Amino acid sequence: MVVNGRPMKRMKRRVTADLYDFLAFPAAGDFPAGPFRTSVKSFLTKHALLPPPASLLPHLLTWQIWFRVGETVVDGGESSPAAVCLDVVEEDVARSRSVYCDQCRVVGWSGNPVCTKRYHFIIKADGNSIGGYYKSCTSCGDVLHLSDSRCKSCNKLMTADDTEDWVYNQLEDTTHLLHGVVHANGYGHLLRVNGREGGSRILSGCHIMDFWDRLCKILGVRKVSVMDVSKKHGLEFRLLHAITQGHPWYGEWGYEFGAGSFALTLDAYKTAIETLSTLPLSIFVSQGRKPRTHLQDLISYYQSLSERELVNARDLFCFLMSLIHDARKSSTTVNDVTSKKRGQSCTPGILCAWTRNDIERVEEAMFRVLRAVTGSNWVSWRALRGAVCKVAPPELLDYCLKELGGKLTPYGILVQVRCNPNSGAVEYRLDPGGIPSNGVAAGCNDFSFSNGRSEQYLLQDLGFLYEAILNPQSMSIYGPQATRDLAISSAAKLLDCKQFVKDYKPEKMLSITNPLGVNLSCLVELMELSEEEGDAKPPPELIVLSPNATISDLKYEASRAFQEVYLMFKRFKAEELVGYAGVDESTQLKLLLGSTETVEVRGRCLGKNGVVSRFRMERGLERWTVDCSCGAKDDDGERMLACDGCGVWQHTRCAEIPDLAAVPARFICWRRCGSSATGQMLVTPGSTGLLHCKDETPSMAISGARGAGPVPGFVKSLTPPPPSSVR
């Protein structure tokens, strides 16, 4: 096809060439021009487009930025970059269906006032935009223009509410490759990252995280939290990655321990990692005269493959993950570990204690066993090892088994080795007809132990070892019991640590871009507020001023900043600089403050009309108390229930109620009300004994919904939807 004299494919390449490169945008060396509240506006104005239909929903403006990603081959052998769209949905919180933020609530930011704006950064799984000109009919699913008032297929009348429903459904979609949200104050949440295992055809999880990290830096984002409930190969990745790397997967980009459920601390988190990572493998392998188990065989097998000695759980899982990576990268490439070992007279570490005669003696015993097998039957690795178990120590047996494939016996017969396609087991046999014409046996065997087990079987081994060594629910029984109990406790703690936070410290980057200006962290104090309203303490706002700025300039800019960021400060006016009440307002700040970087202004909200109290905190209007036996004093996102006697909330798990179990219709805590109750949990006569979560019983849960305060005896489960899926 030709358009205006140019072939369509060339036109497409020319268009995509003008797009930003997703893998390099924004440039890593760029710095924010100001705090997030101003940087995000200038960023959108400079780089994004606002489609005309966005005016249909002014409180949900959708900006678009298109990117090219790599090169993909199209019909005819020509290549064209793939394209993806970053949608930035600017949400007016005052008109939003969800005013309060559950993510802020569980990460420890529930005391922040409600912001005026939320910015959603979204990349859809199909690479298209959620904005633009088209939507789906809520009745038949046909594609409609946003301005269409009626569906042409089913004749359904489309209202403004239908369009709004469609946009909100996009915000709640769990299939997005990326979904991050940042409040106007610069505090944000990474809700979702879906890499290749999550359905991405173009972008990996690392590509998406690199882009998100660069974007947060250029926008002047202050802090970003992430709830890590992601999975890798079907396993809890925060546990597996903590064991192999000492931190969560998000730690590769600077995310650190933010808040632990059940009052877990940073020290407890680090101790749990160290305890489980250094768990010695010897306690699994050494079982006296008991029959060998599959767990022991797997550990011994991978110990024999590794060039370095595998001593503890971290060594084992790091090595296995590296084998999976190599198998995925190239299933036909021989692992460097094996290739380095071939041709060596001895291996490093413990095998150097054995002589060549020792190795030849073991090999001869294995040759005799294989000769005794009739026909062309295969002998498994486990059976062959068991037949010669008394000939040499286990370490030497494993080494000889690994090197046995491709060797010529003294009788001129070749040893074949394979990976059984059905069971995944390594097997051996003698093949008289397998000698190559040049008489050289080396290299005539295509099997290598390092890649002999396919990726599928390596993943099966990973899952088995994870369940037996790391999973607290299925950990293998071994001794001593105290060591196992400590390992189970440590694994449970790592699974309970889901909240991780990165502090971007934009003020440090601003000092580089604006070295001569006045950059201040400004706190605010409200006058004439009630005790309840006085609980609202916003974090300091970054104020950027000119070098000659005065106190008057600071008060003006501080008033503007807090008005722009927080709903309860819409009519705020700064009246004095705390600590400098008698100083003339024309005094320059550099002369007055010197090297001071933090200041506080005092002011009032003029003409308040209930707005202050409604938007004073992200936690909402609820007045509840958490006091759990584990030490928790605030909502951490785990399931809780309230005592019918005192109304205090605690975890159901800490009350010995399993997470998936129903709770009684009446609950009395033993800490405060136990002396006046016969038991910890009571069931009222004639009741079913069951209690549903708030969202499950509409007739009863309305009074327990957000904003109305907790209802004694009701369970609350405020954990947001899983924010991140798979890499």
Side-chain angles (χ1 to χ4, degrees), residues 280-297:
L281 298 178
S282 58
I283 62 177
F284 299 99
V285 177
S286 302
Q287 296 290 337
R289 295 187 176 182
K290 296 180 180 179
R292 286 183 65 85
T293 63
H294 181 53
L295 174 61
Q296 293 172 316
D297 284 342

Side-chain angles (χ1 to χ4, degrees), residues 215-470:
L215 187 64
C216 289
K217 289 177 181 177
I218 194 64
L219 291 177
V221 172
R222 301 168 73 174
K223 292 183 179 181
V224 175
S225 74
V226 61
M227 180 184 287
D228 188 359
V229 293
S230 57
K231 294 184 180 293
K232 184 77 169 181
H233 311 309
L235 311 176
E236 296 290 350
F237 200 30
R238 65 184 179 282
L239 174 57
L240 184 60
H241 203 279
I243 296 305
T244 57
Q245 303 299 325
H247 55 73
W249 182 72
Y250 296 98
E252 303 291 337
W253 292 270
Y255 287 79
E256 300 176 342
F257 176 88
S261 300
F262 305 98
L264 290 174
T265 62
L266 175 60
D267 289 339
Y269 177 71
K270 291 182 176 179
T271 301
I273 291 179
E274 185 64 20
T275 299
L276 203 55
S277 299
T278 57
L279 193 66
L281 298 178
S282 58
I283 62 177
F284 299 99
V285 177
S286 302
Q287 296 290 337
R289 295 187 176 182
K290 296 180 180 179
R292 286 183 65 85
T293 63
H294 181 53
L295 174 61
Q296 293 172 316
D297 284 342
L298 273 184
I299 293 175
S300 298
Y301 171 66
Y302 287 108
Q303 283 178 326
S304 70
L305 293 186
S306 176
E307 181 178 299
R308 57 186 296 270
E309 188 177 5
L310 304 183
V311 178
N312 51 42
R314 173 174 290 169
D315 295 339
L316 175 62
F317 283 97
C318 282
F319 181 65
L320 186 51
M321 291 295 287
S322 69
L323 291 181
I324 294 173
H325 178 269
D326 292 342
R328 176 166 294 180
K329 187 176 181 181
S330 175
S331 59
T332 59
T333 302
V334 178
N335 187 278
D336 291 340
V337 174
T338 302
S339 61
K340 288 180 180 178
K341 283 187 174 183
R342 292 196 181 276
Q344 295 180 355
S345 59
C346 67
T347 56
I350 191 169
L351 292 180
C352 288
W354 311 110
T355 64
R356 172 55 58 186
N357 290 335
D358 295 326
I359 296 174
E360 291 177 351
R361 176 169 51 84
V362 174
E363 289 178 345
E364 178 60 30
M366 293 179 178
F367 293 153
R368 289 198 300 269
V369 173
L370 294 177
R371 285 189 66 191
V373 178
T374 59
S376 59
N377 294 327
W378 292 90
V379 180
S380 69
W381 178 85
R382 183 174 182 175
L384 183 56
R385 189 182 189 278
V388 297
C389 63
K390 296 183 179 180
V391 176
E395 294 84 359
L396 182 56
L397 294 178
D398 292 334
Y399 170 72
C400 292
L401 281 168
K402 183 184 67 65
E403 299 292 332
L404 192 62
K407 286 186 176 294
L408 280 175
T409 68
Y411 327 108
I413 303 177
L414 179 70
V415 178
Q416 284 189 330
V417 59
R418 73 167 186 176
C419 183
N420 189 299
N422 297 320
S423 64
V426 179
E427 298 176 333
Y428 305 85
R429 75 175 180 183
L430 296 180
D431 182 14
I435 304 176
S437 58
N438 58 5
V440 179
C444 64
N445 194 9
D446 293 334
F447 178 85
S448 168
F449 268 91
S450 55
N451 68 346
R453 294 179 76 80
S454 66
E455 181 185 354
Q456 174 187 355
Y457 290 110
L458 289 172
L459 292 177
Q460 289 181 1
D461 291 346
L462 176 65
F464 179 85
L465 293 171
Y466 173 91
E467 295 294 333
I469 299 177
L470 300 183

Side-chain angles (χ1 to χ4, degrees), residues 38-53:
T38 58
S39 294
V40 67
K41 293 179 180 179
S42 59
F43 175 84
L44 294 176
T45 302
K46 179 179 180 181
H47 300 290
L49 298 175
L50 188 63

